[in-house]
Amino acid sequence: MDDETAEIELLQQNLNKTRQISKRMTTILDSFDTRLAKLEKSILPLYTATQILNRRRNNIDQTLARIEDLSSNQQDLAADESLILRGPQPGQIAVYKEALERLNTSIAFNAADLDLAHTARLVQTGAQKLTQLYTKVVAEGSSGITPAPGTELMMTSFPSSLLPTLSPVVKFLRTLPLPSTHPSHPAAQTILATLKEAQQGYAEMRGNWSVKCLEGQGKRLVVRAETVDPLLTGREFRDWVELMLGTAEEEYKLLIELCPLSNPPMVSSAFGTLMVPILKLFSSVLTQLINLVKKSLHKYNFLALSAYEGLLSLQPHWEEVLSRRGSASDKNELKDGLQSLRALCLRSFPEFLADIKMGAMSRGADTNTKLMDFTTSASPSYTWSQITADFFQTISYIERIPQVLSAVESALYALGDGNWKMGEGVQVGKGSKDDDGTIVEHFIHDIVTTAISSLNTVSRGARRPPFSSVFLLNNISYLRQHLLLQPKDASVISLLSPSTTEALNSAFRTAKAGYFDLNFSPLMQTLTDDPKDKSNKGVAKEKFTRFFDLFDELLERHKFAGVLEEDPQARAEIGDEVIMLVVPSFQRFTQKQKDKEFSKNPQKYIKRSTEDVEAQLRNLFSR
């Protein structure tokens, strides 16, 4: 118990000491707090004054920096203004662009100390200077020596040596502020007008340059049209139009690459401007060719057909190129040209048949056995103007049809099956395009039958039938030989219908029979025995006399009337048939009369032996 009391007292003493220490600490802390409050009251005015001084110092520093910056900006603006007013110099285009970019940046951030109107005018001036450089380089690339007429056809191109200069300018011009991209920029509207003018100038220069490169070939084509094969002229025209379209395509690609305003409507508008002079040149060349064809349709009808076929084949390409002009123009020069050419083609078919019919009205000498103009084909040794003096020959016409078959077929369908007869006869039938070549076969059939009819008319009108029979045989045989048996172009045979083939064969058989009838029937009649004159020796003498008179007349006639001179093989075949007809009959008649001893001096009446007659006949057809 005593121990516990002692411990309690000890604890009580320690507690009292702790309380005393706490009181002393509290007193000390209160003293510190009082001192800190006094210190704060003493320092606060100094701190406030220091803050004011620091703010003043910062303001002074900022003012000095701003003054220095303004001085530097004024110097830079003066330098940029001087650079821009001078314009882009060789080798300094990048520096010029940087100056314009700084001015645009200043306008974009709307610096308070900046003269916006003056800066905008500088930007506008810089844009104008750059477009002047752009126009100058384009003009340099759109001039020079054009391809000489007659040289290999070549498309226009932009000199690659100028692209390193032009491409950076174009790239920067496309970054200039425009109303669509920088609506608040004070120079945007003026810059847009400047770029439009530059792009318009580009299109005009490139269009005119393309015309200069193309017109030499076009003029040469028109000048040569009167002296060269019309089919060749038509093909050359097609090649020239294809070159024109290729040039337009290349110019469109170049326009996309080099135009300052690259949005689709602006590109379409510029391409439309570029195409205006090119299309005028096309219309001019085509009009001159059409006028030439109109002057002499029978002479240049295949020029119209060849050009028509060429333009038909290029129509999809043409439509594709013109679609890039946009909707600014609805005019289609190709369609107008096709309509004009088709009208000429439609006229040419009935007029050609009319020319063949008119050939039947031509009357030559009664001993004429030569080939008619409307029958023969073109000879390579003659010039074209000589060949087509009056008629475009039937064979030559048909031989050329396969070379422009699609154009002929298209035009004939447009005209209507049988309408080329100009109202004569009944239409064969409305052919459909599913019948390959049917309408062309009908047309060729009418050509052939009309030619045969005209030849028969000419032959019947002659006053010396033996000569007219040779004339008819020569012409019909020539027609048959060059269309049916040995045509120059094997595809001609595929265009002859069975009825046409039969018409040619039938006409040849008829002409051949007429030739034999008019030239050899009188001769053979003298060798015919008359049952009433069995013992009359005088009749035999008269027959021999008559035979050799007619034989001499026959020989003399054939000196002027050459038979099938254009076909030696057929001529030899005719000769064999003549010999088989005359010689055996003459031999039998001679032997029979000799057996009857019709004369004491038979050599007086039998002026030639059988061998001599055969030799003379064979010589007649072997010349």
Side-chain angles (χ1 to χ4, degrees), residues 84-355:
I84 288 171
L85 292 177
R86 284 200 311 269
Q89 302 299 313
Q92 295 184 351
I93 294 179
V95 177
Y96 198 83
K97 288 163 50 181
E98 290 173 359
L100 277 175
E101 287 174 349
R102 284 194 297 271
L103 292 176
N104 281 324
T105 302
S106 300
I107 293 175
F109 286 100
N110 197 18
D113 60 318
L114 193 67
D115 186 350
L116 287 178
H118 179 65
T119 306
R121 283 195 297 272
L122 283 179
V123 173
Q124 176 185 337
T125 301
Q128 291 173 344
K129 296 287 186 180
L130 281 174
T131 54
Q132 289 173 5
L133 174 63
Y134 169 83
T135 302
K136 178 183 176 182
V137 177
V138 171
E140 184 179 350
S142 304
S143 60
I145 301 175
T146 59
T151 58
E152 184 179 356
L153 299 179
M154 295 178 62
M155 289 185 290
T156 61
S157 61
F158 197 84
S160 57
S161 59
L162 297 177
L163 290 178
T165 302
L166 190 59
S167 296
V169 175
V170 172
K171 185 177 180 180
F172 181 69
L173 288 176
R174 291 179 178 179
T175 64
L176 291 176
L178 301 175
S180 58
T181 57
H182 298 75
S184 61
H185 197 290
Q189 194 65 42
T190 306
I191 291 174
L192 176 61
T194 301
L195 294 183
K196 281 184 177 180
E197 183 179 355
Q199 188 150 311
Q200 184 79 3
Y202 170 92
E204 292 175 355
M205 285 187 287
R206 293 305 298 174
N208 291 331
W209 172 244
S210 298
V211 167
K212 287 181 180 179
C213 293
L214 292 169
E215 66 179 350
Q217 297 289 352
K219 290 180 179 178
R220 177 177 181 269
L221 187 151
V222 173
V223 170
R224 296 175 67 239
E226 296 188 35
T227 57
V228 301
D229 187 337
L231 276 177
L232 178 60
T233 301
R235 294 192 195 102
E236 289 180 350
F237 177 69
R238 191 255 184 213
D239 293 341
W240 180 78
V241 175
E242 187 175 25
L243 174 69
M244 185 193 74
L245 294 177
T247 299
E249 280 198 331
E250 290 299 317
E251 288 297 332
Y252 182 74
K253 294 176 183 177
L254 195 64
L255 176 64
I256 293 176
E257 180 182 353
L258 299 180
C259 63
L261 299 170
S262 57
N263 56 316
M266 292 294 183
V267 173
S268 297
S269 175
F271 186 64
T273 301
L274 187 150
M275 287 297 295
V276 168
I278 297 177
L279 294 176
K280 284 183 179 179
L281 176 64
F282 166 79
S283 298
S284 173
V285 172
L286 180 58
T287 299
Q288 292 179 69
L289 290 178
I290 289 175
N291 290 338
L292 177 65
V293 175
K294 287 180 178 179
K295 287 181 181 178
S296 182
L297 182 58
H298 68 274
K299 181 178 179 181
Y300 298 110
N301 49 9
F302 272 94
L303 192 160
L305 286 166
S306 182
Y308 181 62
E309 182 179 53
L311 292 186
L312 279 178
S313 66
L314 293 174
Q315 190 169 11
H317 191 184
W318 181 284
E319 298 290 348
E320 180 184 357
V321 171
L322 289 196
S323 65
R324 295 168 181 164
R325 295 187 302 176
S327 57
S329 176
D330 295 330
K331 187 177 181 181
N332 191 322
E333 290 77 1
L334 180 72
K335 287 185 177 179
D336 296 340
L338 280 173
Q339 290 178 358
S340 299
L341 287 172
R342 189 176 73 167
L344 290 174
C345 294
L346 297 184
R347 275 183 51 199
S348 71
F349 301 131
E351 289 193 15
F352 176 67
L353 288 175
D355 287 341

Side-chain angles (χ1 to χ4, degrees), residues 563-577:
V563 178
L564 303 182
E565 293 179 337
E566 301 288 335
D567 188 357
Q569 182 179 352
R571 178 182 175 86
E573 292 175 357
I574 290 286
D576 291 339
E577 292 183 31

Side-chain angles (χ1 to χ4, degrees), residues 390-427:
D390 297 311
F391 304 102
F392 195 105
Q393 295 84 349
T394 301
I395 294 174
S396 180
Y397 188 95
I398 295 175
E399 285 174 344
R400 290 166 174 269
I401 286 179
Q403 301 180 53
V404 287
L405 184 59
S406 60
V408 172
E409 189 172 12
S410 174
L412 288 176
Y413 274 114
L415 181 62
D417 197 348
N419 288 339
W420 50 78
K421 296 179 181 179
M422 300 179 69
E424 296 182 8
V426 181
Q427 290 187 5

